Amino acid sequence: MGTQNPNVHPHAQARIAGNKRPNRGHRTGGLLHDNSRHTARFTVIGNHLAQHGQLSLLAIGLGTHLQSLPKGAPADIKTLTARFPEGATRIAAALRELEVHGYLRRERVRTPAGRIVTRTVSCNQPAAGRRHAGTPAPAPAAGRPTAPEPQRRERQEGQEACEGEEGARHGTRRKREPRKQLPDVPRPAFPAPELLRAATDLLADLRRHGSHLLLSAVDTAHPAPGVAAWLERDVTPAAVRHALTTDLPPEGVRRPAALLAHRLAAQLPPPPPFRAPVEDPPAHYRMRNCDGCERGFRAPESEARCRDCRTNPQEAA
């Protein structure tokens, strides 16, 4: 019982849960990982993008870079060409790959100023629509091209999920919600035309302090009475401009007219204190001699004679 059998093989080590294949990197020269936990400035990237079987390596890297950018960062071809050594042709082709596979979409939207701009949207889960529907999304296998029809159907469902259009597979579109009304603004007690004109000019000049404060003619007419109410309360135009343009959101303003109307109503200053009219002090004239009787008297420079000489011109003569 105390003798050990040297021919018995040692017991195998327990396999780590989730690792179905033994690590043979030390014998085959495969990949090893030296990982450290990130605590700041990191981005979670799905393996469906990092190990995509149909995307090129440039498209995978560009998709990873776009997902790591903050909201509002420029993502046009000119900016990406200046950032990376690849040319504009290769970067444009990689963007088209990401767009085809649902990781990117470009929308043309109209700004409040009436301009048409292109908005780039990066989607981190293009196959979210399939998972929400209850069917598991197939894991992409490196080097194995999938069938054209399932790939096209998965890409279509992923784009529909990223765009957020419920029921797009059945040909229906989500109805656009009605635009909310602008907040009420204070009104001046005496809406003089000159006061309203000065308020309109002040609102039109806000574009010089930020392109996102460019207002249309309709949006300018709504907060103009509120600005007039501020000016009526002895607030200088510089103070009104400072109250409307200070501490704006860093990501920009979606509806500048609504923000301005809210600030005009919430930060309305009180009326100025009552001040009694100040009477002019009595005039003090210097002593001078009358030209008629040589008496001294006080009078304006225009008066050469005293009061007696002016009332009795015969005696003065």
Side-chain angles (χ1 to χ4, degrees):
M1 294 296 294
T3 303
Q4 297 182 356
N5 188 354
N7 295 328
V8 178
H9 295 284
H11 295 287
Q13 296 181 356
R15 183 176 300 174
I16 301 176
N19 187 9
K20 298 182 179 181
R21 297 182 180 179
N23 187 4
R24 299 188 179 92
H26 61 283
R27 289 185 293 177
T28 61
L31 176 67
L32 297 176
H33 293 280
D34 184 11
N35 297 333
S36 299
R37 182 178 179 85
H38 291 283
T39 58
R41 297 183 59 82
F42 65 93
T43 304
V44 179
I45 303 296
N47 286 339
H48 52 82
L49 173 60
Q51 301 178 7
H52 204 281
Q54 285 75 45
L55 289 175
S56 63
L57 186 59
L58 177 59
I60 294 176
L62 188 56
T64 303
H65 174 71
L66 293 178
Q67 292 188 19
S68 67
L69 293 178
K71 182 179 179 180
D76 55 294
I77 297 178
K78 183 178 180 181
T79 303
L80 296 174
T81 304
R83 170 66 175 80
F84 297 102
E86 286 76 11
T89 304
R90 296 188 60 190
I91 289 181
L95 291 176
R96 285 193 295 269
E97 288 185 58
L98 295 173
E99 193 171 6
V100 168
H101 288 273
Y103 290 95
L104 184 74
R105 73 175 186 268
R106 284 175 279 198
E107 304 172 344
R108 297 180 64 83
V109 297
R110 184 182 299 273
T111 62
R115 296 177 53 191
I116 301 296
V117 297
T118 300
R119 177 183 298 167
T120 303
V121 181
S122 176
C123 185
N124 65 340
Q125 293 188 11
R130 181 184 296 273
R131 290 196 294 271
H132 293 332
T135 57
R144 292 185 180 180
T146 58
E149 183 62 26
Q151 176 183 351
R152 183 165 55 253
R153 185 169 57 251
E154 178 182 350
R155 182 170 64 250
Q156 180 180 1
E157 294 175 357
Q159 291 177 352
E160 292 170 357
C162 290
E163 295 175 1
E165 298 179 354
E166 299 180 358
R169 297 177 59 184
H170 304 285
T172 59
R173 293 185 178 180
R174 185 178 58 185
K175 296 182 179 180
R176 181 178 296 178
E177 297 180 357
R179 193 174 185 180
K180 296 182 179 179
Q181 296 183 355
L182 296 175
D184 295 333
V185 296
R187 302 285 174 175
F190 301 98
E194 296 78 7
L195 194 63
L196 292 176
R197 188 179 302 110
T200 304
D201 294 342
L202 190 148
L203 291 171
D205 189 65
L206 293 181
R207 71 184 73 179
R208 302 179 183 272
H209 302 271
S211 58
H212 53 278
L213 295 179
L214 178 63
L215 301 176
S216 63
V218 177
D219 290 342
T220 303
H222 180 79
V227 177
W230 282 54
L231 298 176
E232 189 183 44
R233 302 189 175 204
D234 291 344
V235 182
T236 62
V240 178
R241 189 180 300 108
H242 181 269
L244 297 180
T245 59
T246 304
D247 296 335
L248 294 177
E251 63 274 8
V253 182
R254 183 179 180 184
R255 295 187 66 189
L259 175 64
L260 298 179
H262 172 72
R263 290 194 171 187
L264 290 172
Q267 304 179 15
L268 179 65
F274 174 77
R275 295 185 180 91
V278 180
E279 297 181 356
D280 296 335
H284 182 73
Y285 304 107
R286 67 183 184 86
M287 182 68 68
R288 51 200 304 260
N289 294 333
C290 176
D291 294 344
C293 62
E294 296 296 332
R295 288 186 302 177
F297 74 103
R298 297 181 184 273
E301 295 293 337
S302 59
E303 299 292 341
R305 296 175 179 271
C306 64
R307 183 172 52 184
D308 295 339
C309 294
R310 289 196 304 270
T311 56
N312 300 319
Q314 296 180 356
E315 295 180 1

